Amino acid sequence: MAKTKGGKNGINLKDYTAFFLGTGALVLLDQLTKYLVARALPLNTGEVIIRGFLNLVHIHNPGGAFSIFAGQNSEWKRPIFVLLTLVVVGIIFYAYGKVSKGDWWNRAAYIGVCGGAIGNLIDRIRMGEVIDFVDCYVGDWHWPAFNVADSAISVGAVMLLISLLRGK
């Protein structure tokens, strides 16, 4: 496979095959589930899946993670979220290339974070907000609604944290 300019320090795209395939698969899964939810449920409605624990809902989150800045009505919000996501994706792409080929734990973590970030980025660019549909709760304790992209980001981030704590 051809390398980009830069000699032995260039990017070998062959080394990124799993990255592109994994990230693409997560983005497709995220967008497909959001599409299916949007078709099946009117906005701001839901269906009980497991009473007292899990609902399938159709809501739009105009904020960031855990609905941060959701209440802000500002023109800066969308461009800032898009720019931050693009910076994070660029950093992840670079970091993935620095991880040894045999370190599938960290490679999978980077794929999860990147796939999730791009999945939510598509919603932000397309609609200015993100579709969320998994609603978990127990009694009065209620987790903010989330989606496949959010799950991939969270799992990937926890994997990276575990790797960091283990000194890898």
Side-chain angles (χ1 to χ4, degrees):
M1 183 69 60
K3 290 186 178 186
T4 60
K5 291 182 181 179
K8 63 182 176 180
N9 292 327
I11 295 173
N12 183 345
L13 292 180
K14 185 178 179 184
D15 293 341
Y16 282 86
T17 301
F19 181 83
F20 292 128
L21 291 174
T23 298
L26 278 172
V27 170
L28 286 173
L29 179 62
D30 175 66
Q31 290 297 301
L32 176 62
T33 55
K34 290 172 179 174
Y35 170 78
L36 293 173
V37 165
R39 284 195 45 133
L41 292 172
L43 185 60
N44 298 319
T45 65
E47 293 289 330
V48 174
I49 303 300
I50 301 172
R51 188 161 307 285
F53 179 69
L54 179 67
N55 295 333
L56 181 66
V57 297
H58 177 193
I59 63 169
H60 290 182
N61 176 5
F66 304 106
S67 298
I68 189 169
F69 302 124
Q72 302 291 323
N73 291 327
S74 178
E75 293 180 20
W76 61 264
K77 197 167 42 173
R78 182 190 284 186
I80 291 293
F81 281 138
V82 169
L83 179 63
L84 285 174
T85 302
L86 292 173
V87 168
V88 167
V89 167
I91 291 169
I92 291 168
F93 183 81
Y94 174 80
Y96 182 90
K98 297 296 181 186
V99 174
S100 71
K101 291 179 186 177
D103 186 355
W104 286 104
W105 178 269
N106 281 318
R107 285 182 164 231
Y110 286 130
I111 288 168
V113 174
C114 191
I118 292 171
N120 281 340
L121 176 64
I122 291 169
D123 285 8
R124 289 209 185 283
I125 290 171
R126 192 169 58 91
M127 304 181 314
E129 49 197 10
V130 173
I131 295 174
D132 287 330
F133 57 88
V134 180
D135 179 36
C136 293
Y137 60 98
V138 175
D140 289 338
W141 181 83
H142 203 108
W143 191 258
F146 59 97
N147 58 45
V148 170
D150 297 335
S151 298
I153 292 167
S154 297
V155 170
V158 168
M159 289 173 71
L160 289 172
L161 180 61
I162 290 169
S163 185
L164 180 67
L165 293 174
R166 293 179 70 200
K168 289 189 175 185

